[in-house]
Amino acid sequence: GAVVSQHPSWVICKSGTSVKIECRSLDFQATTMFWYRQFPKQSLMLMATSNEGSKATYEQGVEKDKFLINHASLTLSTLTVTSAHPEDSSFYICSASTAGNTIYFGEGSWLTVV
Amino acid sequence: EDQVTQSPEALRLQEGESSSLNCSYTVSGLRGLFWYRQDPGKGPEFLFTLYSAGEEKEKERLKATLTKKESFLHITAPKPEDSATYLCAVQGPNDYKLSFGAGTTVTVRA
């Protein structure tokens, strides 16, 4: 079946630095990708919708200048957490939609800001 | 605003003890209702998409059904490996994003 890959699986960074997370659709083209954040024992919270070749659409309350999203190709979207702080530590998950409207998720990326 | 409510919050089953999970939803025009399984520390694994009331889909011991107000995920004769959090999500008519419920955590004891 379709596979969505995220990299890195986990990352530790120092406070004030930026970190990039990649999301790739491995065997299908995805015009739309989504970025979620998940806190322990909570459900997924949508951060933004990423459309290939255009600006991302951010959900209310999500800082677009802090969470930079780029969808440069039909198989790659990136999330950059800029000037990270400990409160940004979380589990970040991407998903991609196939042409048939099946939405697959990546394995997630654990971010720890120290 | 789309709303999704899952119940129960947690479910403990004996191996072989069949049960059902509920997902109640409110959406202005359902495009699709999605079920996912999520293991701790991992991304959600796609199970089913249902599009219209009356539709049913099956995969191994899981069967999902849909009405105009809710969806059920039936687990028949569960095994310990069915232990996971099951997430329900709805997709509205205007875009492709999903609104998730809080999930039901299922624990199956051998």
Side-chain angles (χ1 to χ4, degrees), chain A residues 7 10 12 14 16 19 21 25 32 37 45 51 55 66 69-70 72 75 82-83 90 92-95 98 110-111:
Chain A
H7 179 80
W10 57 270
I12 301 173
K14 290 184 177 181
V19 61
I21 300 170
S25 55
T32 304
R37 185 173 179 177
M45 181 188 78
N51 295 297
K55 290 183 179 180
K66 180 165 189 62
I69 292 172
N70 183 275
T75 60
T82 63
S83 186
S90 189
Y92 293 88
I93 316 174
C94 73
S95 68
T98 70
W110 289 96
L111 170 63

Side-chain angles (χ1 to χ4, degrees), chain A residues 46-67:
Chain A
L46 179 66
M47 298 174 66
T49 301
S50 169
N51 295 297
E52 187 267 335
S54 64
K55 290 183 179 180
T57 303
Y58 290 82
E59 295 298 301
Q60 192 172 7
V62 178
E63 298 176 61
K64 62 181 181 181
D65 294 330
K66 180 165 189 62
F67 299 99

Side-chain angles (χ1 to χ4, degrees), chain A residues 36 43-46 105, chain B residues 3-6 34 36 44 87-90 98-103:
Chain A
Y36 292 82
S43 193
L44 284 74
M45 181 188 78
L46 179 66
F105 282 80
Chain B
Q3 289 193 326
V4 181
T5 303
Q6 291 188 246
F34 294 70
Y36 291 88
L87 298 169
C88 170
V90 296
L98 298 179
S99 297
F100 279 87

Side-chain angles (χ1 to χ4, degrees), chain A residues 6 39-40:
Chain A
Q6 271 186 251
F39 292 103

